[in-house]
Structures are given as structure tokens and as C-alpha cells.
Amino acid sequence: MAPLPRILRNSSIPRAPESALQGSRRAVEDQLKICGHKRDSDVFELFLSQKELTEVIDLSRFKKLKYLWLHHNKLQGITFLTRNYCLTELYLNNNEIFEIVGLHYLPSLHILQLHHNELRNIDATVKELKGMLNLKTLSLYQNPLCQYNLYRLYTIYHLPGVELLDRKQVTEKERRSMITIFNHKKAHIIQSIAFRGKADTSWNPKSPFKQKSSQRLPSDFAFANNVDKTVFDDPEDAVFVRSMKRSVMAITSMNWDTVPTRDEKYLEEKGTEPAQMLTVTLR
């Protein structure tokens, strides 16, 4: 029996197709010629979009690369970007990327476009982006992970530095909402501080509901005592007591029904009694 061809015997070894890397290398060299760069240190940007790329050669030789366009290709990973520390803008949208391992090596990244890809694990994706303190603009829409019903608030909570998410400005209302949803203890402390009370660190949002007792004044409470410093266990009791301490306000107005009109004065249908005043007292 004739021996199998060498190409069949070695076909089980997984490796990137040589033609794919050659196509990537050719695309890079074409861009260098178009821009007229002769030295790698002069390269600040590379436009490699719409090249049908499935693989990209190692770009670590471009130490000062700041802008990289790779959108509308067929990439599945980004392992070629582990040493481009000066990269500030990266466009990877409209690919087939299913993981972004290696992005945390890019501390200078300011804009990251990842929409229209195959990212499914929201925890792994957010974990990879957590170390990017300079990341301000991020797009992840049209990825499977966006089907998570709290995807936007979850991303905002774990990436507080992001200001523009999926082309929408992050609002203060969203930041407050994410604290309430994902950090119950912090939300409880904020509410306690607002009422000058002590936070119960053992509070558990999953604990069964307890019926609150009816509001009543403490035994040592005295009206009109502005120096009273009673500590309340329930903030709602503090609000109730505060309302009872408000100063009495009186509003006085003229009772115009007792004031004679010009015709009445002329006909003398009303006496000369003085006009009456109405006083309303509020607390």
C-alpha cells in the first residue's frame, strides 16, 4: 500500500491557513506603500477594513500605532494586539469575534467599536474591559450578549468610566439605577446617610418582608425642642418627627366679602363696620 501524502498525514495539526496570513501581510504592506511609510516607527494609523481578513499578522512592530480600522472583515479573535500600548482608537465592528482576550493589554484605548459580532459571554467581556481606565466610548450592540435584560445597566455598573455606550450618552439616572440594582448595600447606606441614621450592614435584600410598626413619638421627645438629638432606628420615624417639629405658619388675608363696593357705599346698604381679616394657620 502506497504511503499517504505528507499533506494528509499532517492535516490534523491546527494552524492558521498560510494564505490568510499572507493576505493580511499583503494588506499591511499595501497600506504602508499608500501612506509612504518606510519605517515602522512612523506608522500611527492603519486602515485594514473590508479586506476579507480572517487572520491578522502580529502588529507589535508598530510601537506608535494609535488608530486601527479592522471593521467589516471576518476576524474571530484579536490575539495580534497584545503589545500595541499606544492604541487609542480600535474599530472591530462587523466581524465574527466571539472573544476579546488580550484587550486588557491596551491601557490607552479611548474608543472601542465591537458592535455586530458574536460576543456571547457578558461576564467575560466586561472583565476584559475593566482595566481600561481611559475607555470612554464603547459599542457592543448587535451581539448575542445584548439579549441580557439588564445588559446596559450591568455594563455601566462594571465600567463606570464609559460615557457613551452604544451611541447613547450614559445618564445620571442610569448610574443611580445601577447602584440600586447591583449594589444593594451601597444603596442602603446612601439612604441611611440621607436621614442621618446608622446603616445596618447586615441588611439583606432577600430577607422576608417585615411589617413595620405604627409610627409613634419616642418617650423622650419634646415639641419645640430644637436641640433634641434622638436617634431613630427607622428613617421614616425621623421624617414623621421632623414634620411635627415644623414651625407654625399663619397666613392672613382680607375677607373681601365684608368690604362694601362703591354702589353699596352710595346706597348705604352696608354699615360702616370695619372689614374683617381671615387667618389660616399651617404647620
Side-chain angles (χ1 to χ4, degrees):
M1 182 176 180
L4 293 174
R6 180 178 302 176
I7 188 172
L8 294 179
R9 285 182 293 174
N10 296 336
S11 61
S12 61
I13 300 176
R15 55 181 169 180
E18 188 175 356
S19 58
L21 291 176
Q22 287 178 350
S24 172
R25 186 177 293 104
R26 189 182 308 111
V28 172
E29 296 300 329
D30 290 343
Q31 283 298 306
L32 295 180
K33 291 179 181 179
I34 293 174
C35 297
H37 296 310
K38 296 182 179 179
R39 298 182 304 174
D40 293 343
S41 59
D42 295 333
V43 179
F44 292 93
E45 59 182 11
L46 280 175
F47 191 85
L48 301 174
S49 65
Q50 299 179 338
K51 304 291 185 182
E52 297 293 325
L53 300 179
T54 57
E55 297 285 341
V56 178
I57 61 173
D58 185 13
L59 299 177
S60 60
R61 69 192 230 207
F62 305 113
K63 303 294 184 182
K64 297 182 180 180
L65 184 64
K66 297 183 65 176
Y67 313 102
L68 179 59
W69 289 269
L70 281 166
H71 54 285
H72 289 88
N73 282 298
K74 297 181 180 180
L75 302 177
Q76 296 184 353
I78 52 169
T79 55
F80 51 89
L81 287 174
T82 56
R83 296 183 180 180
N84 298 98
Y85 306 118
C86 295
L87 198 62
T88 59
E89 296 185 14
L90 178 57
Y91 301 88
L92 291 167
N93 51 289
N94 296 85
N95 277 283
E96 301 173 5
I97 298 173
F98 61 90
E99 64 177 2
I100 55 174
V101 176
L103 270 184
H104 66 276
Y105 292 111
L106 308 176
S108 301
L109 208 58
H110 184 81
I111 297 176
L112 176 59
Q113 304 286 352
L114 279 167
H115 52 276
H116 285 279
N117 276 288
E118 298 297 328
L119 297 173
R120 299 179 180 275
N121 192 329
I122 188 172
D123 292 322
T125 301
V126 169
K127 182 179 179 181
E128 192 69 25
L129 300 176
K130 271 186 177 180
M132 298 182 182
L133 302 180
N134 295 311
L135 186 61
K136 302 299 180 183
T137 302
L138 174 66
S139 68
L140 293 171
Y141 62 92
Q142 292 297 327
N143 276 283
L145 58 79
C146 295
Q147 296 178 3
Y148 177 47
N149 59 351
L150 293 175
Y151 144 76
R152 182 173 175 87
L153 291 181
Y154 183 85
T155 304
I156 294 173
Y157 175 70
H158 288 283
L159 303 175
V162 173
E163 299 175 355
L164 189 67
L165 177 61
D166 295 340
R167 299 180 179 179
K168 293 182 180 180
Q169 197 75 25
V170 178
T171 64
E172 289 301 322
K173 182 179 180 180
E174 288 178 321
R175 296 191 188 279
R176 292 193 297 268
S177 299
M178 59 131 189
I179 293 177
T180 304
I181 296 174
F182 298 106
N183 196 334
H184 301 288
K185 183 178 292 186
K186 184 175 181 179
H188 182 56
I189 291 175
I190 292 175
Q191 293 177 0
S192 299
I193 292 175
F195 290 102
R196 299 181 64 187
K198 295 182 179 179
D200 181 9
T201 56
S202 63
W203 179 77
N204 183 5
K206 297 182 180 180
S207 59
F209 175 77
K210 295 181 180 180
Q211 184 67 31
K212 293 183 179 180
S213 58
S214 59
Q215 294 180 338
R216 62 182 184 277
L217 295 176
S219 58
D220 58 345
F221 174 77
F223 285 97
N225 184 5
N226 295 326
V227 297
D228 178 68
K229 297 182 179 180
T230 305
V231 178
F232 298 90
D233 295 330
D234 191 342
E236 293 185 4
D237 292 338
V239 176
F240 174 67
V241 171
R242 185 186 303 172
S243 65
M244 298 302 297
K245 281 188 175 183
R246 291 175 181 170
S247 301
V248 176
M249 180 174 59
I251 301 176
T252 302
S253 63
M254 178 77 69
N255 185 1
W256 292 100
D257 292 335
T258 62
V259 178
T261 63
R262 185 181 62 176
D263 294 338
E264 290 173 341
K265 287 182 179 180
Y266 179 76
L267 297 174
E268 296 183 354
E269 292 183 357
K270 287 191 176 182
T272 58
E273 297 180 359
Q276 298 178 2
M277 304 295 291
L278 293 177
T279 301
V280 180
T281 303
L282 301 173
R283 182 180 291 277

